[in-house]
Amino acid sequence: MESKGHLVVLGYGDVGKSIVNILSGGPFRFVVVDSNEKVFENVDFDHLIGNGSDEDILVEAGVKTASFVFVALNDDTNVIFATLICRSLNPETTIVARANSVKSIDKIYKAGADYVSSLSVVAGQMLAKMTANCVGKSCRIDEDIMLYEGIEIEKHRVEKGSFLDNKSIESLDLERKIGCTIIGIERGRVVTTAITRQTSIKAGDMIAVVGSNKQISEFKERYLD
């Protein structure tokens, strides 16, 4: 498991399975870590049984030489610890993580993650698809992300004079007011998914918004129509 450039998936719950389903269809070599041996019954990919925030397990999974690490654990404390250890073991790897709570996003970034998403099932597909389109730290968000349980991802252009122009994520507070989330901003030819409360939206940006059908409709009615 020490071959250069493989991927490591920590956690084989809903998000981890979503990631593996996509990675299995491509030319990726990956290993999955989960503490529950029962989840690996009848699977045919490399896996390890153990705690994804345990340094010895991470070393055995080959984090030191991994090109990407997906942290899809169910507890944000473990997500933070796993991210810290992975970053320490491999400063050059790209770490993408799932936050179980919005409140943990900043802490996970500070622990060393490159990309964090707070929506569980969608996060798995978004992060896995994003991997295939990354060049360095810049990534392209695909149009064809498959969605679950009425969740949508839509891209919208921010026009000049829009209410959204020059607004920060914190001032918009979309998660509290509507429930949807801005997960990516395309500015020029660069897409960033490292969205924090201080991130500002500018006229001309293409924003990727995720939420339920109802939330997306309310977002468009309030801010785009």
Side-chain angles (χ1 to χ4, degrees), residues 137-153:
K137 300 298 183 182
S138 297
C139 300
R140 176 170 57 82
I141 297 176
D142 283 346
E143 298 282 1
D144 62 346
I145 296 178
M146 297 174 61
L147 304 175
Y148 294 85
E149 299 175 356
I151 300 296
E152 294 184 352
I153 296 178

Side-chain angles (χ1 to χ4, degrees), residues 62-63 179:
V63 167

Side-chain angles (χ1 to χ4, degrees), residues 50-60 81-82 85 89:
N51 188 335
S53 61
D54 182 275
E55 183 170 353
D56 291 337
I57 293 294
L58 294 174
V59 170
E60 188 176 353
F81 278 124
I85 296 169
L89 290 173

Side-chain angles (χ1 to χ4, degrees), residues 4-196:
K4 186 68 175 177
H6 70 294
L7 297 88
V8 176
V9 181
L10 305 179
Y12 195 55
D14 289 340
V15 175
K17 289 177 181 177
S18 182
I19 293 171
V20 169
N21 286 340
I22 293 174
L23 297 182
S24 297
F28 305 103
R29 184 176 184 276
F30 61 90
V31 58
V32 183
V33 177
D34 197 284
S35 58
N36 183 3
E37 62 181 328
K38 292 183 179 179
V39 301
F40 294 128
E41 293 179 354
N42 302 316
V43 302
D44 59 357
F45 51 77
D46 288 341
H47 59 274
L48 287 174
I49 300 169
N51 188 335
S53 61
D54 182 275
E55 183 170 353
D56 291 337
I57 293 294
L58 294 174
V59 170
E60 188 176 353
V63 167
K64 288 183 177 180
T65 57
S67 57
F68 276 82
V69 178
F70 296 98
V71 185
L73 304 174
N74 291 325
D75 179 83
D76 280 345
T77 299
N78 288 333
V79 172
I80 293 168
F81 278 124
T83 301
L84 279 168
I85 296 169
C86 289
R87 180 56 69 210
S88 176
L89 290 173
N90 187 348
E92 301 303 319
T93 193
T94 298
I95 300 175
V96 290
R98 165 261 192 99
N100 298 279
S101 169
V102 175
K103 296 178 181 179
S104 300
I105 293 177
D106 283 349
K107 293 179 181 179
I108 298 171
Y109 274 121
K110 289 177 181 178
D114 296 292
Y115 306 102
V116 182
S117 178
S118 61
L119 292 171
S120 60
V121 178
V122 173
Q125 288 229 340
M126 183 192 74
L127 297 178
K129 280 184 174 288
M130 189 175 68
T131 301
N133 296 303
C134 283
V135 178
K137 300 298 183 182
S138 297
C139 300
R140 176 170 57 82
I141 297 176
D142 283 346
E143 298 282 1
D144 62 346
I145 296 178
M146 297 174 61
L147 304 175
Y148 294 85
E149 299 175 356
I151 300 296
E152 294 184 352
I153 296 178
E154 290 191 2
K155 295 175 71 175
H156 297 284
R157 178 78 62 185
V158 178
E159 303 295 341
K160 186 175 181 180
S162 166
F163 176 83
L164 300 173
D165 187 17
N166 286 319
K167 294 293 192 302
S168 68
I169 298 299
E170 183 176 30
S171 64
L172 289 173
D173 200 12
L174 294 177
E175 291 190 2
R176 184 182 65 83
K177 293 178 180 177
I178 300 177
C180 58
T181 305
I182 294 176
I183 60 170
I185 299 175
E186 180 180 349
R187 184 170 296 162
R189 295 186 176 181
V190 177
V191 172
T192 179
T193 55
I195 308 297
T196 69

